[in-house]
């Protein structure tokens, strides 16, 4: 809005053959008439600069990886700070780069997961670092990546964990048809017996752009999974098509067909697991919450005979009755896409349900 006449002018417009993700990744520069933002227009989420006066667009970061957070810019030095998946889709690392796209530098080279919080003027940041075997270590660093002080190393927690027999969380790759490889994790009982087949419970969420498989220290359900492992269960999780941080095509291929490819991948993953000599193919269950509950419901129906049981917590059972701000972004309206709504709603597949369903 121009204050003098309260007129309106279109500054920038973006279209996408699928949908444009909504985010707050936008920073207006004080020193000139331009702004930074992130976009998937290259097929991967990257940082762009747009000059309002000249209407010129410039891509600052490039590659087959994704920027996950645009922290901002130090305008005095022209340095942009961002977090990305450049090292691995399962990891997050902090980088800085000049406004002209040159002199990219890694500020957190350690493999794993870095949650970053910057000071107001980008001179310092707090790095919450962890990986699958290391609980969070909180450090204060300067904007060159030098550690100024370790704020909390969680040594007490590490000592407590070391005093227990913990089944490790292993990062795995699940190969499916058409050279599709999915990221996953698995927790196995300690001291597994050779030749014995173990029951498997699969967890997933599977919603658009989500991620459950990361090189990050797990909490929450991790301890319940430890109890299950103690009871002789294997626990696994697989991020199928539709999940995030592997490029736009991988994430948005579920457009207009929520539940189709996601359930196909969970069923295929369960079939793959069932062929392993240490897993009992007749005792595979699946569970999830919200979108994961929806997936559990459709998987035990569409995957009749593959899953022995399913637990669905707070599931969507028909996309026609879910909220429109979420659903119509991915599915458009029921009038435009009736088959997409009906063919992947669990309530339309109950006749195929086999096994135990909670």
């Amino acid at each position: 809005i121009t204050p003098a006449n309260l007129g309106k002018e279109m500054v920038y417009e973006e279209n996408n053959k699928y949908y444009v993700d909504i985010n707050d990744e936008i920073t207006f520069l004080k020193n000139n008439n331009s702004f930074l933002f992130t976009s998937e227009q290259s097929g991967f989420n990257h940082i762009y600069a747009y000059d309002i006066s000249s209407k010129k667009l410039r891509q600052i970061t490039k590659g087959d990886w994704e920027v996950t957070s645009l922290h901002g810019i130090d305008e005095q030095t022209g340095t942009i700070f961002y977090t990305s998946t450049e090292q691995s889709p399962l990891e997050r690392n902090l980088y800085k780069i000049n406004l002209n796209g040159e002199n990219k530098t890694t500020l957190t080279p350690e493999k794993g997961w870095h949650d970053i919080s910057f000071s107001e003027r980008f001179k310092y940041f707090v790095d919450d670092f962890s990986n699958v075997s290391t609980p969070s270590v909180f450090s204060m660093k300067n904007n060159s990546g030098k550690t100024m002080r370790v704020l909390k190393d969680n040594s007490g927690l590490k000592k407590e964990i070391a005093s227990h027999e913990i089944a490790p969380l292993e990062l795995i790759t699940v190969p499916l048809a058409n050279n599709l490889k999915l990221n996953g994790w698995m927790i196995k009982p300690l001291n597994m017996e050779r030749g014995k087949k173990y029951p498997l419970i699969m967890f997933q969420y599977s919603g658009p752009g989500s991620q459950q498989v990361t090189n990050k220290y797990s909490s929450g359900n991790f301890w319940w999974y430890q109890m299950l492992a103690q009871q002789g269960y294997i626990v696994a999780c697989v991020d199928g098509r539709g999940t995030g941080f592997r490029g736009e095509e991988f994430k948005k291929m579920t457009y207009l067909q929520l539940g189709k490819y996601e359930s196909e991948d969970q069923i295929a993953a369960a079939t793959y697991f069932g062929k392993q000599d240490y897993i009992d193919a007749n005792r595979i269950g699946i569970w999830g919450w919200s979108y994961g509950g929806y997936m559990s419901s459709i998987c035990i129906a569409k995957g009749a005979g593959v899953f022995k049981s399913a637990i669905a917590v707070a599931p969507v059972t028909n996309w026609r009755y879910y909220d429109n701000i979420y659903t119509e972004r991915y599915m458009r309206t029921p009038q435009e896409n009736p088959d997409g709504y009906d063919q992947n709603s669990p309530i339309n597949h109950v006749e195929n349900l086999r096994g135990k369903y909670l």
Side-chain angles (χ1 to χ4, degrees):
I1 296 176
T2 305
N5 56 18
L6 296 180
K8 294 181 181 179
E9 178 186 355
M10 177 70 73
V11 172
Y12 174 81
E13 182 179 20
E14 185 172 315
N15 296 290
N16 190 287
K17 63 181 178 180
Y18 302 113
Y19 54 86
V20 176
D21 261 327
I22 299 170
N23 62 60
D24 297 322
E25 301 282 338
I26 185 167
T27 300
F28 285 90
L29 276 62
K30 298 176 183 177
N31 295 343
N32 52 48
N33 200 24
S34 60
F35 60 91
L36 304 175
F37 67 105
T38 59
S39 170
E40 294 176 300
Q41 58 190 274
S42 71
F44 292 84
N45 199 52
H46 281 293
I47 301 172
Y48 293 79
Y50 186 79
D51 186 286
I52 298 173
S53 301
S54 65
K55 295 186 169 26
K56 285 186 177 179
L57 180 70
R58 184 174 74 258
Q59 184 174 352
I60 296 173
T61 59
K62 300 176 182 179
D64 292 349
W65 45 269
E66 306 230 320
V67 171
T68 58
S69 294
L70 171 56
H71 299 288
I73 180 172
D74 179 350
E75 293 193 49
Q76 288 188 336
T77 63
T79 305
I80 300 169
F81 298 90
Y82 67 92
T83 298
S84 82
T85 65
E86 185 169 357
Q87 292 193 28
S88 166
L90 308 186
E91 301 179 354
R92 300 291 185 271
N93 289 88
L94 176 66
Y95 291 81
K96 65 179 180 180
I97 193 171
N98 290 351
L99 187 56
N100 60 9
E102 298 177 353
N103 297 324
K104 180 173 65 176
T105 305
T106 310
L107 299 180
T108 56
E110 305 87 357
K111 289 183 63 62
W113 194 278
H114 298 265
D115 270 324
I116 304 298
S117 299
F118 265 97
S119 63
E120 184 177 358
R121 296 179 181 177
F122 298 100
K123 291 189 175 182
Y124 304 98
F125 64 91
V126 173
D127 178 16
D128 171 6
F129 168 72
S130 72
N131 56 39
V132 290
S133 58
T134 306
S136 286
V137 175
F138 296 85
S139 304
M140 186 178 74
K141 302 181 179 182
N142 64 20
N143 59 15
S144 295
K146 180 181 178 180
T147 300
M148 311 300 291
R149 185 186 312 148
V150 175
L151 303 175
K152 187 170 184 65
D153 63 6
N154 272 320
S155 56
L157 174 60
K158 294 174 184 175
K159 183 177 180 180
E160 177 66 23
I161 291 172
S163 69
H164 298 275
E165 291 189 329
I166 303 297
L169 185 151
E170 306 171 35
L171 295 174
I172 61 174
T173 299
V174 179
L176 301 184
N178 300 320
N179 294 318
L180 179 63
K181 295 181 179 180
L182 302 180
N183 296 318
W185 56 252
M186 180 176 283
I187 297 173
K188 300 175 184 175
L190 294 173
N191 305 315
M192 291 174 63
E193 298 177 24
R194 184 181 296 274
K196 181 178 178 179
K197 291 183 177 290
Y198 292 81
L200 168 70
I201 179 72
M202 292 174 61
F203 165 72
Q204 45 65 55
Y205 178 74
S206 301
S210 64
Q211 186 176 30
Q212 300 299 316
V213 181
T214 60
N215 189 10
K216 180 180 183 180
Y217 195 75
S218 186
S219 58
N221 290 329
F222 177 77
W223 302 107
W224 178 49
Y225 296 148
Q226 289 297 313
M227 185 274 291
L228 291 178
Q230 288 177 351
Q231 299 298 318
Y233 289 86
I234 294 173
V235 185
C237 176
V238 176
D239 277 342
R241 288 172 292 179
T243 57
F245 310 105
R246 293 184 60 176
E248 182 181 47
E249 291 300 321
F250 187 90
K251 178 178 72 173
K252 294 183 179 179
M253 73 171 305
T254 61
Y255 181 59
L256 301 179
Q257 291 287 339
L258 287 187
K260 172 178 168 57
Y261 298 104
E262 303 97 306
S263 58
E264 288 178 0
D265 286 354
Q266 295 301 317
I267 293 167
T271 302
Y272 166 80
F273 287 138
K275 294 178 180 178
Q276 308 310 302
D277 58 11
Y278 55 89
I279 291 177
D280 187 346
N282 296 313
R283 297 183 66 196
I284 298 177
I286 187 169
W287 91 278
W289 195 302
S290 189
Y291 202 100
Y294 158 66
M295 286 297 300
S296 299
S297 303
I298 199 165
C299 280
I300 197 172
K302 286 192 171 186
V306 175
F307 295 104
K308 183 76 171 180
S309 62
I311 300 172
V313 185
V316 175
T317 56
N318 189 329
W319 288 112
R320 290 176 179 270
Y321 308 135
Y322 201 57
D323 63 48
N324 59 354
I325 186 64
Y326 182 92
T327 307
E328 292 178 13
R329 182 188 316 164
Y330 308 118
M331 296 284 279
R332 301 193 69 85
T333 66
Q335 292 76 25
E336 294 171 292
N337 183 27
D339 289 346
Y341 277 78
D342 296 335
Q343 290 174 5
N344 298 296
S345 288
I347 61 171
N348 295 328
H349 296 276
V350 290
E351 70 278 3
N352 298 320
L353 195 150
R354 303 289 184 273
K356 306 281 188 176
Y357 176 66
L358 174 62

